[in-house]
Amino acid sequence: MIDRRSFLDWLLGGTVFAGLAAILYPAARYLEPQEIPEAAISSLKVGTIEDFPLDSGTIFKFGRKPGLLIHDADGKFRAFHATCTHLSCVVQYRKDMGAIYCACHNGRFDINGKNISGPPPRPLEEFDVHLKGNEVYVSLRG
Amino acid sequence: MKILFPIILYLVVSLLLLAPCALCQDEVSGCVNCHSELDDGDIEAPTELFKNDIHNQAALGCVGCHGGDPTSDDEDLAMSEATGFIGVPDPTDIPKICSKCHSDPVFMKSFDPGLAIDQYAKYMTSIHGIRNSAGDTKVAQCASCHRAHDIRKANDPKSSTYAFNLPGTCAACHANNVYMAGYDIATDQHTDYERSVHGIALLEKRDIGAPACNDCHGNHGAVPPEVGSIDKVCGLCHANNMTNFDQSTHNEYFDALEMPACETCHSNHYVDSPSTDILDGETSVCAQCHNSDESPEGLEAADGMRKSIDSLNTSLTVVKEKLDESDRKGLFVTNALFTWQEARQKEFAAKTAVHTFDLGKVTGVTAEGLELASQADVAADDLLAGYVFRRAGLAVSVFFLGLLALLLWLKARQIDARQQSL
């Protein structure tokens, strides 16, 4: 039979262990890389130059919203929010048109993001594109 | 003297440059001076309206349309036939009067080089123009839509032809039963348009990109779209739907039966918001031609498309609720939300694919959407499970830490009691 004192010691030891676990477990989890909240994103590496063939467009994730990186035929990079300014459909780069196209209502933007035909009422918002070595970064403008 | 010469030269040049404008103003004010002081509202009102008229702002006066001599102080002479005065133009003359300037490329270039000069040519191809030139004074001519003395550029929000105002401008005649009597056309177009997806977008949501009357019918060359051209008209915005339809087997059947492409299923002025309800079995729009006895496969395909798209839509709704809940709890939903948006794009694509009338193509797209929705669902579940786990963990931690404090207190009491007993 365990007497009252031994039981209390045993219980105290166990609780100290559980209390330590309750403190150390979150601390250990904290050491793992955490997902970065959207508000912190102002710049993003989208890949290396080799990842983007000439005259092509690539959708990338920028926070909650899609972006469109265009590597034009002259080798210049441009990036835009890929959300159509009409009804927020995702736009795409159309090599055959040499333009950015919204399939929802046939809206078109030139490769500078300016709305050129269809319902979109204003240009696409543009990102700044920076090259560091052969890495391609996009960042919020302004 | 050397100082005075450039000053005199500057004044002379300035006077010469200002002279044309000064003459224009005289021309306007010659008419306006008298008309603005008359008590007759019909005669006085134009002088007030004309202040905001684009022609007035370009220093063009009354004489361009009404003739006369605005420089004469003699009322009779100023408004005499000898000076070309025509008074209020006859409606059948108005298109010609406007086209004197608006069809003249050299003249228009000096005022607005970007403005088209084919309005009159197009007008003469329109139902309005054909009837007007045949002597019908009731049909629309330039002033009917652009007004007579308060003409503004079409991109001026106060213009009667600005996108938000245009349906009302057309409706002024076309919704008037009495005025339209004798033309044998309906007068409910505006009522239908107002409650259509296009009308709600333009008039309520103020979506300037949504179509008004002229986007389908043309403006100066206004005609009802022919049966064969309706899909081209709708295809201006709904390009992929048009392409799918044109490449489908339905295209040739519609042509053979002289059925208008889009209108047969979606109506014309009352185009409802896209919904799978129109694919619902015996009550579907497909049932206009297909029936369960002779061609059940059409209705079965429609039903299959509806179920497939509805299934994706339901999944998207369920997942979105979870993501919204996760978002409210402050969880990191970005990646899952991005996947959900991709799935939603597939729903749009599936609705577009309906116009192929190919069940396999529709279900193929919805399957892709369902896969993405499923991924977003798993991510949302993980987020919410993590939230529950953390809250449970917090409760356990608090319990053990509280218990520890209690036990430490009991232990301290036990030690105290032992020491006292010794």
Side-chain angles (χ1 to χ4, degrees), chain B residues 291-367:
Chain B
N291 65 63
S292 48
D293 297 329
E294 293 173 15
S295 54
E297 66 282 355
L299 297 182
E300 286 164 12
D303 205 42
M305 291 180 201
R306 180 184 64 80
K307 284 176 180 162
S308 172
I309 295 170
D310 282 351
S311 163
L312 175 57
N313 183 270
T314 304
S315 294
L316 285 168
T317 305
V318 169
V319 177
K320 188 67 168 55
E321 282 171 6
K322 289 183 185 176
L323 288 172
D324 286 345
E325 186 188 348
S326 303
D327 203 16
R328 281 195 299 276
K329 292 183 188 315
L331 304 174
F332 182 72
V333 296
T334 300
N335 292 337
L337 193 61
F338 195 87
T339 307
W340 180 87
Q341 284 168 344
E342 284 184 89
R344 189 158 174 265
Q345 287 288 123
K346 294 294 178 187
E347 187 190 11
F348 295 153
K351 285 181 176 175
T352 301
V354 168
H355 299 86
T356 63
F357 306 99
D358 183 334
L359 177 60
K361 285 185 180 169
V362 175
T363 53
V365 178
T366 52

Side-chain angles (χ1 to χ4, degrees), chain A residues 7-17, chain B residues 403-404 406-408 411:
Chain A
F7 175 72
L8 187 61
D9 289 343
W10 180 83
L11 195 59
L12 186 61
T15 308
V16 166
F17 178 78
Chain B
L403 183 62
L404 180 60
L406 176 68
L407 292 172
L408 284 171
K411 187 67 183 173

Side-chain angles (χ1 to χ4, degrees), chain A residues 101 103, chain B residues 231-232 235 238-252 254 261-262 305 347-358 361-362 365:
Chain A
Y101 181 70
Chain B
D231 60 327
K232 305 294 181 293
H238 302 281
N240 289 339
N241 296 349
M242 178 190 74
T243 305
N244 285 343
F245 179 83
D246 285 350
Q247 292 172 353
S248 75
T249 50
H250 278 67
N251 189 19
E252 49 191 281
F254 273 50
C262 316
M305 291 180 201
E347 187 190 11
F348 295 153
K351 285 181 176 175
T352 301
V354 168
H355 299 86
T356 63
F357 306 99
D358 183 334
K361 285 185 180 169
V362 175
V365 178

Side-chain angles (χ1 to χ4, degrees), chain A residues 17-126:
Chain A
F17 178 78
L20 282 173
I23 294 164
L24 293 176
Y25 178 73
R29 282 294 302 268
Y30 182 75
L31 295 175
E32 287 180 19
Q34 297 294 302
E35 288 181 306
I36 304 164
E38 184 185 13
I41 295 177
S42 63
S43 188
L44 181 75
K45 179 188 164 189
V46 286
T48 59
I49 293 175
E50 296 75 33
D51 295 333
F52 309 106
L54 282 177
D55 202 15
S56 72
T58 307
I59 294 287
F60 61 89
K61 249 189 293 190
F62 195 91
R64 293 183 179 194
K65 293 182 179 172
L68 173 65
L69 180 75
I70 296 174
H71 194 190
D72 72 17
D74 297 327
K76 186 175 177 186
F77 281 99
R78 294 178 174 84
F80 306 93
H81 288 270
T83 306
C84 182
T85 54
H86 181 220
L87 293 178
S88 303
C89 294
V90 176
V91 298
Q92 56 187 296
Y93 176 69
R94 286 278 297 265
K95 188 175 176 177
D96 55 331
M97 295 174 182
I100 301 166
Y101 181 70
C102 178
C104 280
H105 293 101
N106 203 20
R108 295 179 197 207
F109 304 83
D110 66 17
I111 57 166
N112 297 307
K114 182 173 167 37
N115 47 323
I116 50 173
S117 75
R122 58 185 178 277
L124 296 170
E125 288 181 59
E126 192 168 0

